[in-house]
Amino acid sequence: GGLPQDDREAARLYRLAAEQGLAAAQFKLALLFGSGRGVPQDDTEAVRLYRLAAEQGHGAAQFNLAQHYPQGMGGLPQDDREAARFFSLAADQGLLEPCTAAG
């Protein structure tokens, strides 16, 4: 049952909610931009959306943002300190073991 999957429609709806400041929608839309599902693949836009959600305390967005810093992906500077900061924020929410963030 259910509706057929439509990534473009999902992206449109997530964008509407993201523009209203909903962290969960910003995160989901970032995932779509990162993978190119329903929207053109765009790591810079994905990072921008991850940051918006992360700044609102969205743990998975903090984790994903942290993963982009070590290699300077998505237009970010290569910054191990910022990576560690966002991994720590995600760890504080129980999304990963603290030793994982350091190693």
Side-chain angles (χ1 to χ4, degrees):
L3 298 172
Q5 183 171 334
D6 183 344
D7 290 334
R8 283 185 297 184
E9 180 65 7
R12 185 184 75 78
L13 294 173
Y14 284 138
R15 185 183 309 272
L16 290 173
E19 289 170 354
Q20 297 299 313
L22 297 175
Q26 292 164 342
F27 173 73
K28 294 286 193 173
L29 187 57
L31 291 174
L32 293 178
F33 273 106
S35 66
R37 290 180 50 199
V39 292
Q41 199 278 332
D42 185 341
D43 284 335
T44 301
E45 182 63 4
V47 164
R48 184 185 77 80
L49 290 160
Y50 284 138
R51 179 178 300 284
L52 289 172
E55 289 172 351
Q56 294 184 65
H58 192 285
Q62 292 166 341
F63 180 81
N64 285 15
L65 184 60
Q67 291 183 306
H68 284 75
Y69 272 105
Q71 293 81 31
M73 296 164 50
L76 291 175
Q78 185 176 355
D79 190 334
D80 291 337
R81 187 169 289 163
E82 276 296 280
R85 184 171 79 86
F86 280 105
F87 275 130
S88 178
L89 289 170
D92 287 347
Q93 296 190 47
L95 292 179
L96 69 161
E97 295 297 319
C99 62
T100 304

